[in-house]
Amino acid sequence: MTSQPTQAQLNLAALAGSPSPGAMRSLRKIQSHQFLSSNLSSHPSSTRTSVGPEDLAQPAQLDSPVRLRAHRRARSNSDASSREPPTVGTQRRTARKTGSGFGIKRSSLEVSLRDGPHQGNVREGLQELRYLILSTRVEADGDGMSSYRVYLWLALLDIPPVPTDEYLSLIHRGRSPAYTKIRNDTFRTLATDPLFKRRVTEASLIRLLNAVAWKLHDAKTKNRAKSRPSTDRRRQMELLINTPPSIAEESSSSPDSTIRRSARSGIITNDSAIYVQGMNVLCAPFLYAARSEVEAFALFHSFITRECPGYIRGAMDGVHRGLRLVDRCLEIVEPKLAAYLFSKGMQAELYAFPSVLTMCACTPPLPEVLHLWDFLFAYGAHLNILCIVAQLIRMRDTILESPSPNKILRSFPPLDAKEIIALTVLIVRKIPEPLYAELIDHAK
């Protein structure tokens, strides 16, 4: 097992050449681990020594207000009001209500997102966004709706704009090979959630999942064409005979090695599915929070192909690795609780599968899911495993007092994002670095 890279190594890696997107995402996640486990003391305006429920209940204020940049960007057309023209330059903008509807002053998080990084420093801008998400949360109304959350997710996940024509072209191709499976699932997606049913139609869910299925189908077809072996069997035999074993083992030209390398880098491979049961629930919050299907499509497709491709590969091997990590992390953080569950034959495979696969989207209420996802997208979706451990710890007394914990674990209590995030931040510090590295890579 390799040790976690030092800050100097991270800086060198960031400065060297043009690293791949996958490598940069791994670096950002490791940096997030260092940030969360360092008591937040690295932030220039933070003097706190710990992050717990009390800190999130009364988050520490920044020493100075968020810098108001001299250069202001015009708002996008989708966000601009028909009565209020976009403002450019240094002209003062008229205050308006935030997405929460409470008061007229914009939150520091919204100001930071709208104004962009100071002097074009993207790294500093992302650090500021992450800190504000952890300390102030995204402002939203009672239904969980926020005027800027979708833009925050697009920025945190580094997703460029998707042309509407691209999405429409996928829609116009008609039924994908996974259409029947999709229709068998969509009607029961968050079926008991009135907020979701009021805002998202089954038709839009079908369209989005069908479009993603076509996109994944095309990627698999392209990858299969690249990895198809040559038909010249004589040439293959000559290469096999004349190539020394040491070189043959290191060769990266074989289809198997190509697939393994693609799997590690988060690329869709021949083993990937174009739809698996549960993708409908994972897709639901994206459609609920987005302002258009195109935005939801960009978010969902990018998320499953870059952040958790292992969840849709083969027999969901990434999900099963995540379930084993739930058991291992619980055993480290709460050994008594873990021992009791194991004595009852209750491994995470039996109760946590939906929570791992859907990033806790299967547990209501939906507004709390959105707040939890703000945190996951800021610091890494791999932290969902620790969020599940945090939920188990919050149920600790009830589980230990029950002779049949399987009845309790059939459905988790309603999400409380603030408490779960606060407890997850504490749990991070107890996870050894080698195990945390496994958390980062489990969904790849």
Side-chain angles (χ1 to χ4, degrees):
M1 292 184 292
T2 58
S3 60
Q4 185 172 331
T6 64
Q7 187 62 45
Q9 291 172 327
L10 292 175
N11 293 337
L12 288 174
L15 293 173
S18 300
S20 65
M24 290 304 297
R25 285 195 296 276
S26 295
L27 284 175
R28 287 198 298 269
K29 290 176 180 178
I30 292 173
Q31 289 172 326
S32 294
H33 178 222
Q34 292 181 334
F35 178 86
L36 290 172
S37 60
S38 63
N39 302 328
L40 299 184
S41 59
S42 60
H43 194 278
S45 58
S46 173
T47 57
R48 293 179 295 169
T49 58
S50 63
V51 176
E54 68 278 5
D55 297 284
L56 293 179
Q58 294 180 342
Q61 299 296 320
L62 295 174
D63 291 342
S64 59
V66 176
R67 292 180 297 272
L68 296 178
R69 283 67 164 168
H71 171 70
R72 297 181 182 273
R73 298 173 301 167
R75 289 184 297 169
S76 63
N77 292 332
S78 63
D79 193 40
S81 169
S82 59
R83 298 181 180 180
E84 181 184 355
T87 306
V88 183
T90 58
Q91 180 182 354
R92 186 167 176 243
R93 290 179 292 188
T94 303
R96 65 172 183 81
K97 290 186 178 182
T98 62
S100 64
F102 302 113
I104 59 174
K105 185 178 180 181
R106 290 193 181 93
S107 67
S108 298
L109 181 56
E110 184 179 7
V111 170
S112 180
L113 179 67
R114 286 179 179 271
D115 291 344
H118 180 55
Q119 296 181 349
N121 190 329
V122 177
R123 182 184 296 273
E124 179 184 303
L126 287 173
Q127 288 177 345
E128 186 172 61
L129 288 178
R130 293 186 181 108
Y131 173 76
L132 290 171
I133 288 171
L134 193 60
S135 61
T136 66
R137 306 212 323 165
V138 172
E139 277 196 319
D141 60 20
D143 292 347
M145 301 310 301
S146 169
S147 61
Y148 61 90
R149 171 176 273 131
V150 64
Y151 305 117
L152 179 66
W153 288 3
L154 289 167
L156 292 172
L157 295 176
D158 191 21
I159 300 174
V162 173
T164 302
D165 289 345
E166 179 184 340
Y167 179 66
L168 291 177
S169 67
L170 294 169
I171 297 297
H172 293 157
R173 289 171 66 174
R175 299 182 177 185
S176 70
Y179 181 79
T180 302
K181 292 182 180 180
I182 292 171
R183 288 301 305 269
N184 287 338
D185 287 343
T186 51
F187 73 93
R188 53 186 172 219
T189 303
L190 303 185
T192 60
D193 194 317
L195 295 178
F196 179 76
K197 289 297 182 182
R198 186 166 66 239
R199 181 172 174 82
V200 180
T201 65
E202 184 184 1
S204 64
L205 190 60
I206 293 170
R207 282 194 298 269
L208 194 150
L209 289 170
N210 196 66
V212 170
W214 273 124
K215 188 86 170 178
L216 297 178
H217 176 270
D218 293 346
K220 285 186 63 176
T221 302
K222 184 178 180 180
N223 184 73
R224 191 179 297 117
K226 289 182 177 180
S227 62
R228 186 177 294 123
S230 172
T231 57
D232 189 348
R233 294 185 59 84
R234 181 176 178 179
R235 177 61 177 165
Q236 287 182 1
M237 292 301 296
E238 289 177 354
L239 288 173
L240 184 62
I241 294 171
N242 297 329
T243 303
S246 60
I247 297 179
E249 291 176 359
E250 297 174 2
S251 174
S252 60
S253 60
S254 67
D256 290 341
S257 62
T258 300
I259 292 175
R260 286 194 298 271
R261 186 171 63 253
S262 298
R264 288 193 298 269
S265 60
I267 299 174
I268 295 302
T269 70
N270 294 342
D271 294 331
S272 301
I274 62 175
Y275 179 80
V276 296
Q277 192 172 25
M279 284 174 62
N280 57 313
V281 180
L282 185 61
C283 173
F286 289 115
L287 265 175
Y288 185 83
R291 299 168 74 98
S292 70
E293 283 185 31
V294 179
E295 290 174 341
F297 167 78
L299 283 162
F300 180 61
H301 176 262
S302 179
F303 184 75
I304 62 175
T305 55
R306 293 165 55 186
E307 301 298 328
C308 57
Y311 284 13
I312 61 171
R313 185 181 303 119
M316 301 184 187
D317 55 327
V319 177
H320 291 288
R321 284 196 297 270
L323 291 167
R324 290 191 290 272
L325 287 168
V326 170
D327 287 332
R328 291 172 61 189
C329 292
L330 182 63
E331 199 168 15
I332 290 173
V333 179
E334 276 288 344
K336 182 179 178 180
L337 177 59
Y340 182 73
L341 288 174
F342 297 161
S343 71
K344 299 292 184 178
M346 294 296 295
Q347 277 74 27
E349 290 271 0
L350 298 179
Y351 59 83
F353 189 94
S355 296
V356 173
L357 174 61
T358 66
M359 301 287 163
C360 293
C362 60
T363 306
L366 188 53
E368 293 298 306
V369 172
L370 301 181
H371 281 302
L372 188 64
W373 279 25
D374 296 335
F375 170 71
L376 294 179
F377 295 164
Y379 291 98
H382 60 283
L383 289 174
N384 178 56
I385 301 299
L386 299 184
C387 289
I388 297 171
V389 173
Q391 293 175 74
L392 293 172
I393 293 174
R394 297 187 73 224
M395 303 162 61
R396 180 180 185 276
D397 293 340
T398 305
I399 293 173
L400 292 176
E401 293 171 0
S402 173
S404 302
N406 59 314
K407 296 180 181 179
I408 299 172
L409 295 174
R410 286 175 184 170
S411 61
F412 284 15
L415 283 179
D416 185 332
K418 181 189 292 187
E419 297 295 328
I420 292 171
I421 291 169
L423 189 51
T424 299
V425 171
L426 294 175
I427 292 173
V428 165
R429 304 169 193 165
K430 299 183 179 181
I431 303 300
E433 292 182 0
L435 181 57
Y436 194 87
E438 291 186 49
L439 282 175
I440 292 176
D441 292 336
H442 85 274
K444 301 306 181 187

